[in-house]
Amino acid sequence: MIIDTTEVQTINSFSTSGFFKEVYGLIWIIPILTLILEITIGVLVLVWLEREISAAIQQRIGPEYAGPLGILQAIADGTKLLLKEDLLPSRGDIRLFSVGPSIAVISVLLSYLVIPFGYRLVLADLGIGVFLWIAISSIAPIGLLMSGYGSNNKYSFSGGLRAAAQSISYEIPLTLCVLSISLRLEIGRNDQVVLPYDSDLDSSTVDIVEAQSKYGFWGWNLWRQPIGFLVFLISSLAECERLPFDLPEAEEELVAGYQTEYSGIKYALFYLASYLNLLVSSLFVTVLYLGGWNFSIPYIPIPELFRINQMAGIFGMTIDIFITLAKAYLFLFISITTRWTLPRMRIDQLLNLGWKFLLPISLGNLLLTTSSQLVSL
């Protein structure tokens, strides 16, 4: 029996390439699992912070028995919900009832793909990064509407309708604020006008952060777009359905809205989705308006002062992640304190604020941004 050496080499090359493809596929799982772990820890810390801050505002004692300083209370609540019975409405649409919570969670989780936690610490650096987040987040109200319709409950269905109306009302001003930042970035880079429908319009989250790092602290879009920042802040709170914008699950009117018929793990998914959405909104506020992972004082660059640029590897990445999360949790503190400061709005006041005030203001901000950039050319 004669064996051709070329055939043996070909077989070995195919087997080696297949082995490397499998290893490459396994390596890609590591960043995804790391991101999921970070998100889980972030949500647990957020729940604990909200309970502690809420207790301090109301002058009462917060969670203190589950672990040191009550930090394990969120894990205890999650375990309790996982062990509870999963009840199904007898006359409801079981398929819509079961799929709704999953859509709400998955649509929020996908938004984390385009969030940069540091330089080159992003899973997908896309040119449409911010607009991809807006497109994905618009899917979540569909899941809420499916949950309300599948529950066969008037309170639940009203909550689902309110969630859809509220999302549409506040997504438009939010999108116009993001468009203002993208136009400013692109016109400043190319010294030419880029129309909103132009394929060259760049909305990469990494590029937005890098554009803010040129002038240190004063280069943040917070100072360049103060009107857009306020509109984005209000719209993001409304998108997260936080007080005073929690009309879809208002207890006094709708018992719990679209969550009325849910229990067990499905209710836990809604609970998780609300905190995931709040965390992702705070991260996008950090990326768009607070300079992301960059933090420097004019004429005193912090990275050069502490030689962060020379600290390659894990330590430099840790510093970037710490700065990003510190800015994000500052916004979370504002949203938590707002919950216990302002009363809930009526549904007509909510829609009037979105359509009659925030939409014209965001349009005026977009026009003002474009005009100022054209004058400076």
Side-chain angles (χ1 to χ4, degrees), residues 130-204:
V130 183
F131 293 110
L132 178 65
W133 163 59
I134 295 174
I136 293 175
S137 62
S138 63
I139 302 175
I142 299 177
L144 305 183
L145 188 60
M146 291 170 60
S147 302
Y149 182 80
S151 299
N152 192 26
N153 185 308
K154 294 181 180 179
Y155 294 112
S156 301
F157 187 55
S158 299
L161 291 177
R162 282 187 176 187
Q166 180 171 327
S167 176
I168 295 172
S169 301
Y170 286 89
E171 272 185 5
I172 300 175
L174 189 143
T175 306
L176 291 175
C177 294
V178 174
L179 186 59
S180 300
I181 294 178
S182 299
L183 283 174
R184 186 181 183 89
L185 173 65
E186 196 64 31
I187 293 176
R189 177 188 302 169
N190 297 332
D191 293 335
Q192 61 183 2
V193 180
V194 181
L195 299 177
Y197 53 81
D198 196 335
S199 60
D200 293 332
L201 184 62
D202 192 3
S203 61
S204 170

Side-chain angles (χ1 to χ4, degrees), residues 240-261:
C240 297
E241 299 173 5
R242 301 279 298 181
L243 272 168
F245 305 107
D246 65 334
L247 272 300
E249 64 268 10
E251 294 87 354
E252 293 86 351
E253 306 172 37
L254 301 179
V255 184
Y258 53 84
Q259 305 174 1
T260 304
E261 299 294 335

Side-chain angles (χ1 to χ4, degrees), residues 5-311:
T5 56
T6 57
E7 294 180 359
V8 174
Q9 292 176 357
T10 305
I11 295 173
N12 290 334
S13 63
F14 274 114
S15 61
T16 305
S17 61
F19 172 75
F20 280 115
K21 287 181 179 179
E22 293 179 359
V23 173
Y24 184 73
L26 292 176
I27 291 175
W28 264 105
I29 298 177
I30 297 176
I32 297 176
L33 294 178
T34 304
L35 180 61
I36 293 175
L37 179 61
E38 292 177 355
I39 293 171
T40 304
I41 296 175
V43 170
L44 293 177
V45 173
L46 174 57
V47 174
W48 177 76
L49 279 178
E50 181 168 26
R51 295 190 174 194
E52 290 290 338
I53 296 172
S54 302
I57 292 175
Q58 298 175 348
Q59 295 182 349
R60 60 179 175 83
I61 300 175
E64 59 177 348
Y65 294 107
L69 300 177
I71 199 169
L72 300 179
Q73 186 63 49
I75 298 177
D77 292 341
T79 305
K80 178 185 69 174
L81 289 174
L82 290 176
L83 297 177
K84 278 194 171 185
E85 183 181 1
D86 186 17
L87 301 177
L88 300 175
S90 59
R91 297 183 180 180
D93 192 325
I94 305 302
R95 289 177 297 179
L96 295 180
F97 185 83
S98 301
V99 172
S102 302
I103 293 179
V105 174
I106 293 173
S107 61
V108 180
L109 283 176
L110 291 177
S111 303
Y112 286 89
L113 296 176
V114 296
I115 297 178
F117 291 89
Y119 184 68
R120 295 180 179 176
L121 283 177
V122 58
L123 285 181
D125 183 15
L126 304 177
I128 57 170
V130 183
F131 293 110
L132 178 65
W133 163 59
I134 295 174
I136 293 175
S137 62
S138 63
I139 302 175
I142 299 177
L144 305 183
L145 188 60
M146 291 170 60
S147 302
Y149 182 80
S151 299
N152 192 26
N153 185 308
K154 294 181 180 179
Y155 294 112
S156 301
F157 187 55
S158 299
L161 291 177
R162 282 187 176 187
Q166 180 171 327
S167 176
I168 295 172
S169 301
Y170 286 89
E171 272 185 5
I172 300 175
L174 189 143
T175 306
L176 291 175
C177 294
V178 174
L179 186 59
S180 300
I181 294 178
S182 299
L183 283 174
R184 186 181 183 89
L185 173 65
E186 196 64 31
I187 293 176
R189 177 188 302 169
N190 297 332
D191 293 335
Q192 61 183 2
V193 180
V194 181
L195 299 177
Y197 53 81
D198 196 335
S199 60
D200 293 332
L201 184 62
D202 192 3
S203 61
S204 170
T205 51
V206 177
D207 292 342
I208 291 175
V209 174
E210 290 294 331
Q212 298 177 73
S213 64
K214 296 179 180 178
Y215 306 102
F217 176 75
W218 298 110
W220 292 359
N221 288 326
L222 172 64
W223 316 116
R224 301 177 180 180
Q225 295 277 327
I227 299 175
F229 173 73
L230 292 176
V231 174
F232 190 93
L233 192 68
I234 298 173
S235 300
S236 60
L237 285 178
E239 283 286 311
C240 297
E241 299 173 5
R242 301 279 298 181
L243 272 168
F245 305 107
D246 65 334
L247 272 300
E249 64 268 10
E251 294 87 354
E252 293 86 351
E253 306 172 37
L254 301 179
V255 184
Y258 53 84
Q259 305 174 1
T260 304
E261 299 294 335
Y262 282 91
S263 63
I265 188 172
K266 292 187 177 67
Y267 179 80
L269 289 177
F270 279 125
Y271 191 77
L272 178 63
S274 63
Y275 282 100
L276 286 174
N277 201 8
L278 181 61
L279 183 58
V280 75
S281 298
S282 63
L283 288 170
F284 271 105
V285 169
T286 301
V287 169
L288 295 176
Y289 293 98
L290 302 181
W293 65 86
N294 291 312
F295 183 77
S296 59
I297 303 173
Y299 308 108
I300 307 177
I302 299 298
E304 295 180 5
L305 182 63
F306 292 97
R307 297 181 180 179
I308 294 177
N309 293 331
Q310 301 175 6
M311 298 177 184

